[in-house]
Amino acid sequence: MKKIDIDDELYQYIASNTQSIGESASTILRRLLNLSDGTNAPVETTTTKTEQETPVVEVQEEIKQEFSPQSSTEDTKHAVNTVTAPTQVKGNVFNVLNKEELAMQKGVVGRFLFILAALYRTHKTDFANVLEIKGRDRVYFATSKEALLESGSSMNPKNITDTEYWVMTNSNTTRKKMMLHEVALCLGYSAEEAEKIRDYL
């Protein structure tokens, strides 16, 4: 199994080309380089990156936990479960989200929490569905800070404003967008609407 060092710019480029939750870094690179599937061991990248309001995390850990081939199957199965027979949208978050207030939030994490809080206000009854959105080794949402901390290290849990829910924030922007997309789907939004909500980030 080989390891290579990459800089932040390359890491962001690889992450931005993720097409599905759990897709491995090796799969992304093969697609970008137009290479067929091989039997070689997947490439793992090792470097450090920082994100505003989040501590330094190792790309190697990010790749293992969030882009590993094993997690791909599990996350894909989970994604199917979360969007099957979606609940009917009783409200519309687009009527609640204020773009001016959103722009005033502090960084990506601030906007992430603001959007989740707006979704909660619009769908209080169904918001518990987000607890089913999980990674291979990590829980993304919980009803307590302790529950998130117990599910993994470097979670950086944050409370979703004015709710009893907590969310993991120690992930890159691409991951946060995927989480918002899944939240929107499990609350009954169409794929097109979920993409609009994701792009608010």
Side-chain angles (χ1 to χ4, degrees):
M1 190 172 291
K2 305 292 184 182
K3 296 182 181 179
I4 60 171
D5 293 330
I6 61 170
D7 58 31
D8 289 347
E9 186 178 5
L10 284 174
Y11 174 85
Q12 291 299 335
Y13 179 74
I14 293 171
S16 68
N17 279 278
T18 304
Q19 291 186 348
S20 62
I21 291 180
E23 186 172 33
S24 70
S26 182
T27 301
I28 297 169
L29 289 172
R30 284 185 175 281
R31 185 176 63 251
L32 294 175
L33 296 171
N34 293 320
L35 297 176
S36 60
D37 290 339
T39 56
N40 293 337
V43 177
E44 291 191 16
T45 55
T46 307
T47 187
T48 60
K49 72 182 189 70
T50 59
E51 182 179 318
Q52 194 168 0
E53 287 105 37
T54 61
V56 175
V57 292
E58 289 190 359
V59 175
Q60 183 178 357
E61 178 185 354
E62 196 82 18
I63 296 295
K64 283 182 179 178
Q65 293 187 353
E66 298 177 1
F67 295 102
S68 70
Q70 288 182 331
S71 66
S72 176
T73 303
E74 197 163 316
D75 286 345
T76 302
K77 284 172 59 180
H78 173 74
V80 171
N81 290 336
T82 58
V83 300
T84 301
T87 56
Q88 185 67 34
V89 177
K90 298 181 177 66
N92 192 323
V93 75
F94 299 108
N95 297 331
V96 176
L97 275 173
N98 183 314
K99 289 186 178 181
E100 291 182 2
E101 287 185 36
L102 182 63
M104 293 170 60
Q105 302 306 308
K106 190 175 180 182
V108 173
V109 172
R111 293 193 299 275
F112 182 57
L113 295 172
F114 184 83
I115 295 168
L116 287 171
L119 286 164
Y120 173 81
R121 290 197 304 274
T122 312
H123 306 282
K124 289 183 181 179
T125 304
D126 299 325
F127 199 79
N129 293 341
V130 304
L131 298 175
E132 299 301 317
I133 301 173
K134 302 173 183 177
R136 182 170 65 91
D137 297 318
R138 293 198 280 186
V139 173
Y140 294 154
F141 295 90
T143 53
S144 71
K145 180 178 181 179
E146 291 72 25
L148 282 178
L149 291 173
E150 287 173 6
S151 74
S153 59
S154 303
M155 298 293 284
N156 196 20
K158 299 281 186 185
N159 176 244
I160 300 174
T161 311
D162 297 327
T163 80
E164 69 271 30
Y165 294 94
W166 290 72
V167 61
M168 175 198 78
T169 63
N170 188 24
S171 58
N172 59 35
T173 302
T174 300
R175 170 64 53 179
K176 288 184 179 68
K177 286 186 175 184
M178 288 181 177
M179 290 167 66
L180 284 176
H181 190 266
E182 282 205 48
V183 169
L185 290 175
C186 80
L187 292 177
Y189 288 92
S190 68
E192 183 179 353
E193 290 171 328
E195 287 180 10
K196 289 181 181 178
I197 293 170
R198 176 195 66 192
D199 291 341
Y200 274 111
L201 194 61

